[in-house]
Amino acid sequence: MTPQKQWTAFYTMLRNDFVRIVRIWSQTLLPPVVTTTLYFVVFGTFIGSQLKPIHGLTYIQFIVPGLIMMSVITSSYMNTVSTFYFAKWTKTLDEILVSPMPEWLVIVGFVSGGVMRGLMVGVLVGVVGLFFTHLAIQNIAVLILTLVLTSTLFSLGGLINGAFAKGFDGMSIVPTFVLTPLTYLGGIFYSIQQFPPFWQTVSLFNPILYMINAFRWAFFGVSDINIGICLSVLIGFVVLFLLVLLWLFRRGIGVRL
Amino acid sequence: MTHAVSVSNLYKTYDPPKGQGSPVEALRGVTLAVEEGDFFALLGPNGAGKTTLIGILTGLVTKTSGEAKIFNHPVDTDASRAKTYIGLVPQEFNFNIFEKVEDIIVTQAGYYGTPRAEALKAAEPILKDLGLWDKRYTPSQQLSGGMKRRLMIARALIHGPKLLILDEPTAGVDVEMRRSMWTFLRKINKEGTTIILTTHYLEEAEQLCRNVAIINKGSILVNQSMQSLLADHGEEKLEQVYLDLIGAGKETENEQTL
């Protein structure tokens, strides 16, 4: 395939996913907005107004970046795991597999769909957050980089899950038992500096902690962890997941019979 | 003469799900060649290995060992190039039932690198030829069974393949529609498209195909011209020849078991 044909094939995949995301907006875009609005109201406004500032930020300001990131993570992951698994289940994936698209392009196509939905949800939740508090942006480049890398990472993760899922249960096990606990324990609602040293060290093994802190740093310039380390961890995981997927697609594991 | 398909000593073994049963040998050393321009019948009972063989040729199944080439391009090491030559009409409906006819075809063209505007133009004569032009804005789930089959043919042809592989394209299609599909397939074959057809309607294979291979339990039993196969069996109908060959395979197997 020439680069131009590859671009057309990529655009076709992305356009299809965009149309689908917008067509079923009440399932793809609305739920994270409703959920995070409830978080803003209950934790940010009702409970948060009773709490002391963290890193010099009001509690609602402190949790907004983490809640945006939580929506981005969930949306990106669910987008790729569901589109890929449904495509396998309904065999519409065959339309892509019989085409001359190289494996890496198929991966890029699915992952870009997840990134697109993650960014759409992130922007929507961010706009809703502005109704509850003032958000300053300290570093726009780091903000965009963190958003794109995080949504890329979890889109890659969703695709790996989709390749291994044997049924509909297989799509929800990782989000329920791995992703949700790691996200909630990833420093959305607290600073790990409030913990004793032992639990601070334990928290450092949670990769989501680095993403949320990088994002909060981009907004307010405060972070529990050095921003360079945060971004390095993110890039490292993206590369690792990408290599795993390339290997899976090359061998046909979870993709072909 | 160029070979549209050449397969040599091809094996495929499916691993069973963990802890369940033993591996299934779907193909056991299949060797086959289909010449460019041919109308070729690949016949065999259910589970014989036809769909597995087609799956390997089209990139849906990973071979265990052996060699498979499309117009001299290996399907494993030069997959992208090999796939540009093929249009596949699968056995089962595998399009998005919520999408409109036109969108399904244009999307497929997009995966081959054809821009939307070009694909819309290319789709018109194909949809007209297959009697789907009036249904182009209809969601595919509202089509009849025969129309869904023709939609899959249209989708397979949108990128102008040199090789069309049809896996039981007339299953569940009424006689009138089947005949019109025959006419269409004859026409595109005459225009140069190589066709491989699997079917359980042996009359269909006899009417349409010049060469035939019969596969059973993953092995090729015969591979010759339709004319010579029928002549070798005293000008019997293909159905009888087929039953004799498949039956002979079963008898040999029974003898070996005893």
Side-chain angles (χ1 to χ4, degrees), chain B residues 10-27:
Chain B
L10 196 63
Y11 283 84
K12 174 63 189 179
T13 304
Y14 290 108
D15 291 326
K18 271 183 186 168
Q20 293 174 32
S22 50
V24 177
E25 274 192 304
L27 296 180

Side-chain angles (χ1 to χ4, degrees), chain B residues 65 76 121 147 195-196 211 218 223 235:
Chain B
S65 65
D76 46 359
K121 275 186 208 162
M147 284 180 177
I195 298 179
I196 297 177
N211 290 294
N223 179 14
E235 298 297 339

Side-chain angles (χ1 to χ4, degrees), chain A residues 222-238:
Chain A
V222 294
S223 171
D224 290 336
I225 303 156
N226 177 281
I227 183 68
I229 296 174
C230 289
L231 292 176
S232 303
V233 168
L234 247 174
I235 291 167
F237 271 104
V238 167

Side-chain angles (χ1 to χ4, degrees), chain B residues 119-136:
Chain B
L120 282 168
K121 275 186 208 162
E124 186 176 340
I126 297 171
L127 288 174
K128 282 181 175 167
D129 270 356
L130 286 160
L132 289 169
W133 181 244
D134 294 340
K135 300 282 181 188
R136 63 191 183 280

Side-chain angles (χ1 to χ4, degrees), chain B residues 66-113:
Chain B
E67 207 174 54
K69 291 179 183 172
I70 305 293
F71 287 99
N72 227 17
H73 298 282
V75 297
D76 46 359
T77 55
D78 196 7
S80 190
R81 186 74 63 87
K83 286 176 184 178
T84 58
Y85 294 107
I86 309 176
L88 172 67
V89 181
Q91 206 176 103
E92 294 171 37
F93 300 127
N94 68 343
F95 43 76
N96 186 337
I97 56 169
F98 301 110
E99 280 185 5
K100 292 173 193 157
V101 167
E102 187 177 75
D103 287 339
I104 289 170
I105 292 170
V106 169
T107 297
Q108 185 69 56
Y111 296 148
Y112 283 82

Side-chain angles (χ1 to χ4, degrees), chain A residues 1 5 8-9 12-13 15-16 23 90-92 94-102 251-252 256-257, chain B residues 12 14 58-62 80 83-84 88 92 94-96 104 107-108 110-116 155:
Chain A
M1 272 185 122
K5 283 180 184 287
T8 303
T12 303
M13 281 188 79
R15 185 183 185 278
N16 265 11
R23 192 182 64 223
T90 57
K91 291 189 180 291
T92 50
D94 293 359
E95 290 182 335
I96 294 171
L97 295 181
V98 300
S99 80
M101 288 176 74
R251 303 272 314 259
R256 294 189 294 269
L257 288 170
Chain B
K12 174 63 189 179
Y14 290 108
T58 52
L60 298 175
V61 176
T62 310
S80 190
K83 286 176 184 178
T84 58
L88 172 67
E92 294 171 37
N94 68 343
F95 43 76
N96 186 337
I104 289 170
T107 297
Q108 185 69 56
Y111 296 148
Y112 283 82
T114 309
R116 196 173 170 79
R155 185 184 60 179

Side-chain angles (χ1 to χ4, degrees), chain B residues 167-179:
Chain B
D167 196 356
E168 298 183 28
T170 52
V173 171
D174 67 48
V175 178
E176 195 185 348
M177 198 168 279
R178 194 182 307 157
R179 295 286 165 136

Side-chain angles (χ1 to χ4, degrees), chain B residues 37-41 189 205 208-212 224-227:
Chain B
D38 201 357
F39 205 137
F40 189 92
N189 178 243
L208 294 171
C209 301
R210 288 190 285 280
N211 290 294
V212 57
Q224 59 189 111
S225 76
M226 185 69 77
Q227 212 173 8

